[in-house]
Every structure is written in C-alpha cells, then in structure tokens.
C-alpha cells in the first residue's frame, strides 16, 4: 500500500511531508540564525545559534510562522547581537570621533563586526601581559586558555617562549619609535637613577629621562632597566649610565642626574664618566649642576629617622588603638569616655601602614587628641595597660609638630600639576628656616629632635640649593627677588654672599648657552615656531613698502646692541602671582623674546628634583630602592627590561583605553 494513497495512516502521512514543507520554508534568511530541535510529543522548537534561546516552531501538524524569529534578530532582542552592535558602534565612534548614525536593522548580520586577526591578537595579548604585569606563563593556564577559546575558537594559544618573543618584539618596536622622537628633542635631558634589588646578589638599575619638548610639555620616559651583578659597587652606576647614553645617542644631551639616598655621588663621578663628559664640554657650569638629590627621598629619610627615635612610644599607641578597635563594645566604651571628657575631635583612630610614614603621622595626630581618653581607659579597664606616659605624649606632640613640616611640603609637591624644578625652592627654604629656629629652642626635647632633622636637611640644602635657586630664578613670578628674600631668612647678615653666588652662576650659565647652542636646535627653528605661536610667519615678506625702515632698524640694533637677555629678564617687573600660573606656557609664549634664555629655562625646569613619578606615593619608604619579586627575578634580564620599559611606554599611546592621570603628558614632539 502506498503511504500517500489513503487517509488510514493519517499521522504517518502528516508527518512525512512535514519535513519537505519545512525545507521549502527554510529559504528564509532567519535560518542563518536558528536551528530546528525536536522536543517531546512530535513538536519542534527554533533555537537561536547565538543566545541559545528557543521559540515555538511546530506543534504536530501546525507550524508557527517566522515573524517572531525575525523580530528576535532584527529588533535586537537577542542579547548577543545587542552586545555586538554596541562593540560595532564603539569601533565606529573611535575611528571618526563623531557619533555614528544608528545602524539599520538587518537580521542577515552574522553578529561579528570584524575579521579575526591571529597576529594582531598575539600583539594584544602581549600588551595585556605587559601593561597589567601578568606572568608570561598565564598563556599555559588551563582556565585562561578555556576562557579565550570560548570567546574565539579560531585563536591558537601560544606557549611561553612565543609570547616572550612577542613581548621583546613589541619592546623593540616601541623603542625605535621613541628613539626617533628623541632626535627632535630641542633641549637636554635629565636622568633619574633608581635601584632595584633581588633576593639574590643581583640588582637592577632603572634609568628614566625627563625633558621638555618643543611644545613646552614635560615628559618622563624610562630608558633602561639594566641588570648589574653588584648594584652598589663603585662603577656600577657610571657604567650603566654610560651604556644607556650610548644606546640612546644622548651623551651630548645629558644635563643632570638625580639620585636618591641609596646612591653615592662618588659612584657617578667614577669610571671617568664625569671626566669624559667634561672633556667633551658636555657638562654645563663645570659640572656644578651634574648631580641632584631627590627632594622626596630626603623628606622620607628624615621623617623615618624621627619616627624611629620614638619607636617604643609608637608601639604603645599602635597597641592602644588595636585594643580599642578589638570589638564594637570597646569602641563604644571608648567613645563614651571621650564624650564624658568632652573631647570633640572629628579625627578617627586608625592604624598606620609602616611603609607609609604619612599614615604614621596621621595616626599620631589622631591619638594625641584622645590622649586623655587613653589615660582614663587605663584607670577603668584592667585589661588595658598600654597608655603612653605624660612625657611620652609630649615627645609625640613635638615629633608631630616637625613631621607636619615634612608632611605639608610633600603634599604641596604631590598636588602640583606640572612638577617642574622651580616649585622645590619654596618648600626647601621654608623647611630649613623652621629647623634652624627649632635648633635654638630652650626646650631640650625640641632642640634635640630638631638638631637630628636639621643635620640631614642642611646637608641636602648645601648640595642642592644652587640648583633649586637657579630653577626659581627661571620663574618670572620670583626671579632673583625670592632668592634674596629667602636667603636673608636662611643666612642672615651673610646672605649677600650667597645671593651673589647664585647671580654669578646664572650669568655664567647663560653665557655658556650663548657660546654653545644645543645641537640640533638652531636658532631659526625656535624663531619660526615662536612666530607661529604668536600668529606670525617670518617667512612671509612684508608688502607695506617699508623695507628701508627695516634695514634702518637692523643697522640700529647692530650699532646699539641691546642688553643681554638675562639682564633684560631679571630687570623686568615680576609677573603677577595668579593661582593657576603655567610656567611652561609662559616660556612658550615668550621664547621669541628670549630665544637663548628660553633654552636655558627649558633645561633647568625639566630637572627632576623629585624622583617620584606622578601618581605614585611620595611617602613610601625607600623611594628609589625597590625589591623585584621572585617571579621577575627568575626571568632573563632582557625580558625584565622589556616588560618594565614597554609598560612605561605603552601607557602613553592613544590606543590605550585608560591613559595615566598624570601631568607628564603623552609625548608629541
């Protein structure tokens, strides 16, 4: 009997042609996104290939239409398509910078906005590892491999050696780009040197360069992260500097080198580095400005020494705070005592972080306000016996008075948007004057603490006061006038001699810039840029018929030479001290007026008086010496250097989603 000839086998006859009917109807483009799945009772459902949601399709002989399936795709109901559309919109917005028109609703879209690129994915993976400091062997972690495969099955995961090669390749590419940019630096570059130690006897020296570009923007870039077998040996620093300067072709551009407390000036002057540069006439002012001491580091060293001098008292205060905070009941009892004693402090008790001296200072300041409450607590709670004595509280009070000097000074530096060298003179002389006064106190406790602080800070002042003074002279709001005022406070009747030293040095340095213009920065370049900044173009001939007048002015300037730029600058009135004064922008607008002096200002203002990078804490112990973790210590030295340097460079690229919040901006030389 034919299966199609009668109605006796209704269910069979109905079921047989149904697939044929579906095949006919599956010409719709909807089926690019759906599959048919059998369910119980002879029913079928349409399953979305992207989000796996299912929809009714057939129930026995009745077939649902595809309109609801089209709506799922076309109207963006599918969450996967909605997410992919967002990515596509973001990509368009990034490429042209404008808000794109809403995409047309097309349900034929496959959902992928771009073609998969295996090589670019390797580069992106290397960038991710560098920027976020992930271990190289994460590419072999099963969970990470599974995650990546779930996102893109076509991606072929690499092994550790391959991704290491990608990291090195990316490092070399970015280094070449940076070297090309360095060629056009109009001024000199100043270095900072940081030491990194490992659990082995090996160590690393980190060299970072700071400079001001042709647009008068301040930049800081890591130049090398070099392994040395004995980082504290006599020649280690000078050898590392020499190698780095040669590698980056910067020997003729070196201006100053900033060190922390862990580096010895002798190390820099050894191995004939200074002699080599001096013989080549590469060091300015006979090398008097060559070595700079880190201001943040001296603040930290002094603060830590003062804190260490009362470590026993600080231990008791820590234990007292721990006792109070051990339970809610104790905190409530302590609050009741404070209320009973009418202590109206708004400061909250908190424990410090031992590696951040500012937190110790804030802990002590808060504890001082509750000293009566701690003393009372000891009389009414037999479990508590850590209260400092009256003499102890007096020592804490004196220590906090002078820690506040360092704390406030550090915060001023951290709060400065552009950490140019001119801001440090103000802070240093104010601290020195306060310490000078404290050493003369009749209170032996005050004078004893002040003398310890003064000894170290006075040495810093003697080493760096000339550099700091020259930098503030380049600030048109102060010039030599602030030096005269502050030196009268520091040196008293003998101040004129020290002011003359600064004045002589600034004039001598200016003459060196007049006699030895910086390489690759001819005067006509600056003149052209300055004219452009002021809306003029010196290459466009005048057409007002006064060429004879121009010749007359030229002859007049030859016969009656004007004052040197430095004297003209110093004799002019001070610029008003407005709140948001931008010193770099001032020199940018005035370097046509002072073409030679502006070159000198560019180099001086770029001196990194503080080694602490913007965004980092200035209060950390050992600002220049850090410890390399066990994992990175196990890597090859060239890989460690690539990871550190590339991370520093990549953060300034426009392709990075979240550039650093720093006043030292992306380089546009």
């Amino acid at each position: 009997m034919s299966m199609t000839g009668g109605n006796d086998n209704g269910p069979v006859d109905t079921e047989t042609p149904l697939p044929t009917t579906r095949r006919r109807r599956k010409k719709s483009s909807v089926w690019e996104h759906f599959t048919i799945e059998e369910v119980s009772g002879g029913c079928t459902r349409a399953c979305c290939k992207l989000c796996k949601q299912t929809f009714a399709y057939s129930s026995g002989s009745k077939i649902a239409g595809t309109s609801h399936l089209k709506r799922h795709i076309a109207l963006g109901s599918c969450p996967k398509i909605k997410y992919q559309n967002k990515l596509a919109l973001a990509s368009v917005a990034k490429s042209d910078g404008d808000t794109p028109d809403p995409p047309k609703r097309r349900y034929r879209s496959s959902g992928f906005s771009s073609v998969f690129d295996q090589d670019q994915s390797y580069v992106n993976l290397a960038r991710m590892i560098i920027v976020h400091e992930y271990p190289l062997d994460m590419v072999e972690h099963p969970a990470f491999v599974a995650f990546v495969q779930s996102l893109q099955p076509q991606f072929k995961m690499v092994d550790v050696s391959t991704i290491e090669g990608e990291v090195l390749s990316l490092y070399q590419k970015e280094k070449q780009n940076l070297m090309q940019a360095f060629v056009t630096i109009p001024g000199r570059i100043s270095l900072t040197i940081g030491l990194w130690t490992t659990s082995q006897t090996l160590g690393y020296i980190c060299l970072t360069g700071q400079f001001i570009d042709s647009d008068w923007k301040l930049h800081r870039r890591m130049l090398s992260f070099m392994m040395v077998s004995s980082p504290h040996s006599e020649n280690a620093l000078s050898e590392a500097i020499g190698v780095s300067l040669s590698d980056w072709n910067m020997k003729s551009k070196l201006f100053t080198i900033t060190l922390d407390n862990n580096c010895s000036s002798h190390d820099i002057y050894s191995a004939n580095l200074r002699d080599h540069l001096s013989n080549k006439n590469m060091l300015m002012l006979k090398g008097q400005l060559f070595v700079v001491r880190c201001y943040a580091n001296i603040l930290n060293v002094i603060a830590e020494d003062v804190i260490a001098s009362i470590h026993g008292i600080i231990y008791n205060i820590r234990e007292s705070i721990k006792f109070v905070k051990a339970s809610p009941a104790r905190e409530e009892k302590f609050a009741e005592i404070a209320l009973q004693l009418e202590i109206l402090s708004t400061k909250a008790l908190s424990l410090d972080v031992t590696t951040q001296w500012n937190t110790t200072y804030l802990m002590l300041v808060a504890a001082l306000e509750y000293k009566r409450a701690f003393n009372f607590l000891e009389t009414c709670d037999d479990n508590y016996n850590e209260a400092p004595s009256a003499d102890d509280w007096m020592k804490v009070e004196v220590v906090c008075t002078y820690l506040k000097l360092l704390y406030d000074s550090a915060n001023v530096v951290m709060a400065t948007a552009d950490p140019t060298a001119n801001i440090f003179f103000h802070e240093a002389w104010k601290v020195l004057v306060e310490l000078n006064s404290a050493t003369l106190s009749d209170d032996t406790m005050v004078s004893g603490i002040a003398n310890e602080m003064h000894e170290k800070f006075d040495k810093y002042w003697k080493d760096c006061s000339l550099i700091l003074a020259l930098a503030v002279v380049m600030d048109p709001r102060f010039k030599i006038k602030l030096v005269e005022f502050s030196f009268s406070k520091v040196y008293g009747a003998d101040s004129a001699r020290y002011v003359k030293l600064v004045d002589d040095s600034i004039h001598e340095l200016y003459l060196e810039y007049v006699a030895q213009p910086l390489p690759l920065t001819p005067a006509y370049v600056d003149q052209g840029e300055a004219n452009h900044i002021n809306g003029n173009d010196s290459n466009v001939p005048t057409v007002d018929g006064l060429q004879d007048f121009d010749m007359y002015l030229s002859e007049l300037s030859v016969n009656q030479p004007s004052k040197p730029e430095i004297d003209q600058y110093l004799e002019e009135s001070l610029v008003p001290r407005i709140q948001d004064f931008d010193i770099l922008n001032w020199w940018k607008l005035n370097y046509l007026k002072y073409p030679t002096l502006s070159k000198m200002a560019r180099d001086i203002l770029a001196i990194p008086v503080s080694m602490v990078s913007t965004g980092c804490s200035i209060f950390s112990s050992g600002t220049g010496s850090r410890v390399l973790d066990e994992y990175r210590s196990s890597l090859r030295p060239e890989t460690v250097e690539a990871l550190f340097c590339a991370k520093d460079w990549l953060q300034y690229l426009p392709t990075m989603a979240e550039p650093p919040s720093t006043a030292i901006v992306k380089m546009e030389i």
Side-chain angles (χ1 to χ4, degrees), residues 378-523:
E378 191 170 40
T379 64
C380 64
D381 191 330
D382 294 336
N383 295 317
Y384 173 65
N385 55 6
E386 301 288 351
S389 66
D391 286 344
D392 289 343
W393 284 119
M394 288 180 61
K395 287 182 181 178
V396 171
E397 191 168 354
V398 172
V399 164
C400 285
T401 298
Y402 294 101
L403 281 180
K404 186 178 187 300
L405 276 176
L406 311 181
Y407 178 78
D408 290 345
S409 184
N411 276 315
V412 168
V413 172
M414 288 182 66
T416 305
D418 288 314
T420 45
N422 58 298
I423 70 170
F424 295 91
F425 181 82
H426 308 270
E427 301 308 312
W429 79 262
K430 287 187 292 186
V431 170
L432 185 63
V433 167
E434 290 292 336
L435 293 178
N436 282 345
S437 176
T439 59
L440 304 177
S441 173
D442 293 333
D443 188 327
T444 56
M445 186 182 300
V446 172
S447 60
I449 292 174
N451 275 315
E452 292 180 10
M453 299 175 69
H454 182 270
E455 183 180 353
K456 288 184 172 61
F457 198 85
D458 187 56
K459 184 179 186 307
Y460 172 83
W461 175 260
K462 289 176 179 176
D463 288 343
C464 299
S465 59
L466 177 60
I467 295 171
L468 301 182
L470 293 181
V472 85
V473 171
M474 292 293 97
D475 190 329
R477 298 169 297 173
F478 302 108
K479 302 181 183 178
I480 198 73
K481 297 300 182 184
L482 183 63
V483 175
E484 294 170 352
F485 172 77
S486 58
F487 277 16
S488 68
K489 303 287 186 181
V490 174
Y491 299 111
D494 203 24
S495 63
R497 179 165 64 92
Y498 293 95
V499 172
K500 185 177 185 302
L501 176 63
V502 174
D503 189 66
D504 290 346
S505 298
I506 200 77
H507 280 83
E508 183 180 345
L509 184 61
Y510 170 74
L511 292 177
E512 290 185 15
Y513 274 85
V514 171
Q516 301 177 7
L518 296 179
L520 302 177
T521 55

Side-chain angles (χ1 to χ4, degrees), residues 205-219:
I205 293 177
C206 175
L207 266 68
T208 302
Q210 187 160 298
F211 58 93
I212 294 172
D213 68 11
S214 58
D215 196 37
W216 288 88
K217 295 292 188 296
L218 185 66
H219 302 277

Side-chain angles (χ1 to χ4, degrees), residues 21-273:
T21 304
R22 288 180 191 153
R23 281 193 298 271
R24 250 189 340 263
R25 292 183 181 179
K26 285 174 65 175
K27 291 180 180 179
S28 170
S29 59
V30 167
W31 300 110
E32 295 177 12
H33 300 274
F34 290 91
T35 58
I36 300 297
E37 295 183 353
E38 298 287 342
V39 294
S40 61
C43 300
T44 59
R45 294 182 68 83
C47 178
C48 176
K49 296 179 180 178
L50 294 175
C51 70
K52 305 305 180 184
Q53 292 187 50
T54 62
F55 302 85
Y57 182 62
S58 72
S59 177
S61 60
K62 185 178 180 179
I63 300 177
T66 58
S67 297
H68 61 308
L69 305 183
K70 291 179 180 178
R71 286 194 297 272
H72 180 70
I73 300 299
L75 298 181
S77 299
C78 177
K80 289 284 187 179
I81 291 181
K82 189 180 295 185
Y83 174 70
Q84 289 158 0
N85 286 341
K86 285 183 180 179
L87 291 180
L89 281 171
S91 177
V92 173
K94 276 187 178 181
S95 63
D96 56 24
D98 298 323
T99 303
D101 295 331
K104 296 180 180 179
R105 293 172 177 171
R106 296 177 180 174
Y107 54 81
R108 281 186 176 274
S109 172
S110 63
F112 293 99
S113 59
S114 61
V115 178
F116 172 66
D117 188 332
Q118 181 80 41
D119 293 335
Q120 185 59 43
S121 296
Y122 288 151
V123 174
N124 291 338
L125 178 58
R127 284 188 178 188
M128 180 187 74
I129 288 174
I130 291 170
V131 171
H132 298 289
E133 299 184 6
Y134 296 137
L136 293 174
D137 61 359
M138 74 176 295
V139 297
E140 296 179 353
H141 295 175
F144 179 69
V145 174
F147 171 69
V148 173
Q149 288 298 313
S150 70
L151 296 178
Q152 176 51 266
Q154 297 182 53
F155 181 76
K156 297 178 181 177
M157 186 57 72
V158 296
D159 56 19
V160 174
S161 60
T162 303
I163 197 63
E164 185 178 15
E166 289 287 344
V167 168
L168 292 170
S169 176
L170 195 152
Y171 159 76
Q172 289 295 341
K173 176 184 175 183
E174 295 302 327
K175 183 175 181 179
Q176 289 302 316
N177 292 338
L178 200 56
M179 290 185 74
Q180 292 177 10
F182 278 161
V183 173
T184 62
I185 293 177
R188 292 177 178 261
I189 188 167
S190 292
L191 300 180
T192 65
I193 299 178
L195 300 182
W196 287 66
T197 58
T198 67
S199 56
Q200 298 88 14
T201 57
L202 301 175
Y204 284 83
I205 293 177
C206 175
L207 266 68
T208 302
Q210 187 160 298
F211 58 93
I212 294 172
D213 68 11
S214 58
D215 196 37
W216 288 88
K217 295 292 188 296
L218 185 66
H219 302 277
R220 179 178 291 185
R221 294 291 186 275
M222 188 177 294
L223 301 180
S224 64
F225 198 86
M226 203 177 305
M227 190 193 78
V228 290
S229 57
S230 301
H232 294 283
S233 65
E234 180 178 299
N235 296 328
L237 293 181
S238 56
E239 288 177 0
I241 294 168
V243 169
S244 186
L245 290 175
S246 297
D247 188 29
W248 288 89
N249 298 318
M250 285 185 179
K251 281 192 174 181
S252 63
K253 286 182 174 286
L254 180 62
F255 191 53
T256 65
I257 295 177
T258 302
L259 307 173
D260 67 5
N261 197 57
N262 297 311
C263 300
S264 167
S265 299
H266 176 71
D267 298 337
I268 298 299
Y269 287 97
S270 63
N272 298 320
L273 176 64

